[in-house]
Amino acid sequence: MYRIVLIDDDEARAAILRDALTEEGHSVPVVLSWKALSWQLVEESQAEVIIADASSPERDVLEHIVFLSETLELPVVVLGAPEDEETMRRAIRAGVAAYVAHGIATRDIAPILKVAALRYAEYRQLRQELTTTRNALNERKIIEQAKGILMRKFQLDEAEAYKRLRRLAMNQGKKLADVAHLITQMENL
């Protein structure tokens, strides 16, 4: 079962959803309207999932949803969302875990939450892998730049430049990329 924060401007609809979630065994420590949205309250609630109604006439609702998903790193389930394709794309790019444009029945809540949590876990894993890959690529680029500097300065071939770079890193007890970064910085001076 999940700790869920509800965000909905319609108090009656939010109460019905809160009761249905509670009946399913979930905890709903906070129910907020978009105008009363407090990031601090959401964080303090130790929420595991956010369910946000997107049918509010507030113009910035999607931006708030994107911010929730990216900043709080929680799965966000969007209900009553606009059906236009561009809005859907923006929400999905932001990591929204479930996007429901139509009304839902109480019996649909549990499977939607399960799918949202699983999808968000997969999304986070992919983001972590992307970050790791980007970092590795950046490190490789810096190492290549440092090798190029050593090759030019000392008329070395690529293998010898790499060997010296590696030896320097080992002697200093530092990562190869860190030593390469220092060499590129020194070259820029």
Side-chain angles (χ1 to χ4, degrees), residues 43-115:
E43 284 181 316
E44 288 172 0
S45 73
Q46 297 177 345
E48 297 167 302
V49 178
I50 296 171
I51 297 178
D53 176 67
S55 63
S56 170
E58 291 289 317
R59 163 184 93 102
D60 298 332
V61 166
L62 186 60
E63 283 74 20
H64 289 309
I65 290 169
V66 168
F67 184 79
L68 284 169
S69 180
E70 291 177 344
T71 306
L72 299 177
E73 294 190 4
L74 295 172
V76 177
V77 176
V78 179
L79 303 177
E83 292 187 42
D84 69 278
E85 199 170 314
E86 179 57 29
T87 303
M88 288 179 190
R89 277 196 181 114
R90 285 178 58 206
I92 290 168
R93 256 185 266 130
V96 166
Y99 190 92
V100 182
H102 55 79
I104 60 169
T106 304
R107 69 182 180 280
D108 296 333
I109 293 171
I112 288 171
L113 288 174
K114 283 179 189 170
V115 168

Side-chain angles (χ1 to χ4, degrees), residues 118-136:
L118 291 171
R119 184 177 180 283
Y120 189 75
E122 187 175 295
Y123 171 77
R124 273 187 76 176
Q125 181 181 355
L126 287 172
R127 277 182 52 192
Q128 284 179 321
E129 287 174 11
L130 178 61
T131 299
T132 301
T133 302
R134 282 183 178 160
N135 290 341

Side-chain angles (χ1 to χ4, degrees), residues 4-8 10-28 30-31 49-54 77-80 103-110 112-113:
I4 300 169
V5 169
L6 284 177
I7 304 171
D8 194 339
D10 185 326
E11 290 179 27
R13 182 177 53 215
I16 292 168
L17 186 54
R18 181 193 61 229
D19 293 345
L21 289 166
T22 304
E23 200 171 294
E24 290 281 326
H26 301 287
S27 168
V28 184
V30 179
V31 178
V49 178
I50 296 171
I51 297 178
D53 176 67
V77 176
V78 179
L79 303 177
I104 60 169
T106 304
R107 69 182 180 280
D108 296 333
I109 293 171
I112 288 171
L113 288 174

